[in-house]
Every structure is written in C-alpha cells, then in structure tokens.
Amino acid sequence: MSVYLKGNQSREEIIEKSRDLFNEYGIHLTLAKMAELMGTTLGRITHHFRNKDMLFIAIAQDYEKKLQELRANRPSGPVTLDTFIQASSKVMDLQYDYRCAMRYVVASLQHRKEMQSHILDSYGNNLVVIKTTIQHYVDSGTLQTRILEHAVYEVFQFQLTNLFTNWVINFELYNNDKPFSEMKPVYLKGIISIFLPYLTENGRKELNESGILQTGPHSM
C-alpha cells in the first residue's frame, strides 16, 4: 500500500473513531483524551488535524459526503411523498450517527470562521436541493403551486430546514433518556406534518397511504 493510501486510511479511521467517541463522551473531549481512548498517539491525530475545529470540519464534511451518496442512490421511479418519507428516514439515521458535529456547530458557530464557512456553503447547497424537490412535487401534482409563492415558500423553507436540523439538538436536550428508535417516528411525523397545508387531493391520498401520521410508529 502506498504512503498516500496509508495516510488517507489513517485519516478516515480517525474521523470515524472520533465521531463515535464524541457522540459517546461529548464534544468537549480533548484531542489528548481522544488519542488515549483510541489507543494511539496525539501526534497521529494532529498530523491530520491540527486542532479540534479541523477535526470537526472533517467530520461534517464526511457527513455531507454520505448525504450526497444517499441522494445519489435514491431509487428511480415516480416522485411520491412515501419516497420522501423513506429518504428523510435515512437522512435522520445519518444525522444521528453524526450528531456530535451538529452539537459542535451549535456550540461554536459564532466564534469559528472556518466552521461557519463550511456550514454556510453546505446550507446553500441544501437549499437548492430542497427547492428542486419541492418543484418536483408541485409538477407531479402532490403539492399545491402556492407553496412556491415567495412569501409562502420562505416560511415553509424555514420550517423544514429548522426541523431537519434541530431535531437532533431537541433529542439530546429533552429526550436523551429514550432510545432513538422510539423518538425517531415522532420527529419524522413532525417534519412531514409541515406539508399538510400544501397537499393536493392526490397528495393527501399519498400521505394517508404512507400511514406515517396514523397512530403508532411508521415502518422505517
């Protein structure tokens, strides 16, 4: 194996292990303690990431990479609310796995320019994806055209982006005594509920057939 490949493998291993450790022990874990828990040296970590900010940026970038892979691997076929629900469920699983990065962003965004720059770039890209998705649902007759009116869409976009971002923080603050598998259906229903005012008759039929808003957990 080449030096480059070994270095890249070492970097990816640090990202994966540190993500799990930050999730378990909290974001205030020092790099020195991280190295101890990994059974490695501090120098091995700082060789790839000169400080904790850079490590968290790498974790966030790894999340974005996996998010793009999820989007690229969506099954082909008709655009329906059920496909959105299933895709959203997978995104929530991914967000849960990378929840430490989301906690770190909330705690440090105003004071760390590199992290702020990464988040703003990511946010801008996600807004484009959301707008394209909503346009698809309007074109397919699932959502009413009024959702794309500027004043209406701004409110909807705010609701969707905040719910999809902050459910992880809500879970950590208020429901961390419960298993993720128990709370995930609740949060997913909350996200999907914001579509209710904009559904067409066909959209309401799709949503009812999905069963997500019925009593009891949705099959995910």
Side-chain angles (χ1 to χ4, degrees):
M1 183 181 292
S2 69
V3 174
Y4 171 79
L5 289 177
K6 285 183 179 179
N8 189 59
Q9 182 177 343
S10 175
R11 183 180 187 277
E12 295 301 314
E13 182 180 311
I14 291 170
I15 291 172
E16 182 175 354
K17 288 185 176 180
S18 62
R19 182 199 71 199
D20 292 340
L21 289 171
F22 281 131
N23 280 342
E24 182 176 356
Y25 293 100
I27 62 174
H28 299 296
L29 197 66
T30 66
L31 293 187
K33 185 63 177 179
M34 179 77 67
E36 179 185 332
L37 292 170
M38 284 187 186
T40 189
T41 64
L42 177 61
R44 179 179 173 229
I45 296 177
T46 56
H47 173 74
H48 297 284
F49 310 103
R50 66 177 183 270
N51 54 44
K52 197 159 75 170
D53 280 355
M54 299 309 297
L55 177 54
F56 267 108
I57 288 174
I59 293 172
Q61 289 173 336
D62 196 48
Y63 164 79
E64 292 295 334
K65 177 183 175 183
K66 288 184 170 58
L67 181 61
Q68 293 301 322
E69 290 173 355
L70 276 180
R71 288 171 175 165
N73 292 325
R74 285 178 182 173
S76 58
V79 177
T80 67
L81 276 179
D82 194 59
T83 59
F84 180 84
I85 292 166
Q86 296 302 324
S88 297
S89 175
K90 291 177 181 179
V91 170
M92 290 179 73
D93 289 338
L94 184 65
Q95 289 175 323
Y96 183 73
D97 287 342
Y98 285 80
R99 61 193 181 277
C100 63
M102 297 184 179
R103 289 204 301 266
Y104 193 75
V105 167
V106 172
S108 63
L109 187 57
Q110 291 183 340
H111 310 290
R112 290 167 169 80
K113 298 301 181 183
E114 289 173 320
M115 178 65 78
Q116 187 177 50
S117 177
H118 169 76
I119 294 302
L120 289 177
D121 287 344
S122 173
Y123 179 69
N125 292 333
N126 285 330
L127 291 186
V128 173
V129 173
I130 291 170
K131 189 65 174 287
T132 302
T133 301
I134 298 306
Q135 182 68 63
H136 280 314
Y137 289 127
V138 170
D139 293 342
S140 68
T142 300
L143 294 176
Q144 302 168 19
T145 57
R146 71 184 185 91
I147 196 174
L148 293 175
E149 295 173 6
H150 180 69
V152 175
Y153 186 76
E154 278 194 327
V155 174
F156 173 81
Q157 178 181 271
F158 166 77
Q159 292 174 314
L160 185 62
T161 56
N162 274 269
L163 283 171
F164 242 126
T165 302
N166 292 326
W167 74 263
V168 176
I169 306 303
N170 190 91
F171 177 79
E172 293 290 316
L173 286 176
Y174 306 122
N175 299 125
N176 61 7
D177 59 330
K178 299 175 182 177
F180 171 57
S181 59
E182 178 182 336
M183 294 309 302
K184 178 186 170 184
V186 177
Y187 294 141
L188 185 54
K189 289 177 185 178
I191 293 170
I192 300 305
S193 292
I194 68 171
F195 286 89
L196 287 174
Y198 313 108
L199 291 173
T200 61
E201 184 177 345
N202 183 59
R204 289 185 178 279
K205 181 180 178 182
E206 287 183 17
L207 189 61
N208 288 334
E209 288 175 350
S210 76
I212 188 172
L213 298 184
Q214 297 174 3
T215 303
H218 179 62
S219 177
M220 286 175 271

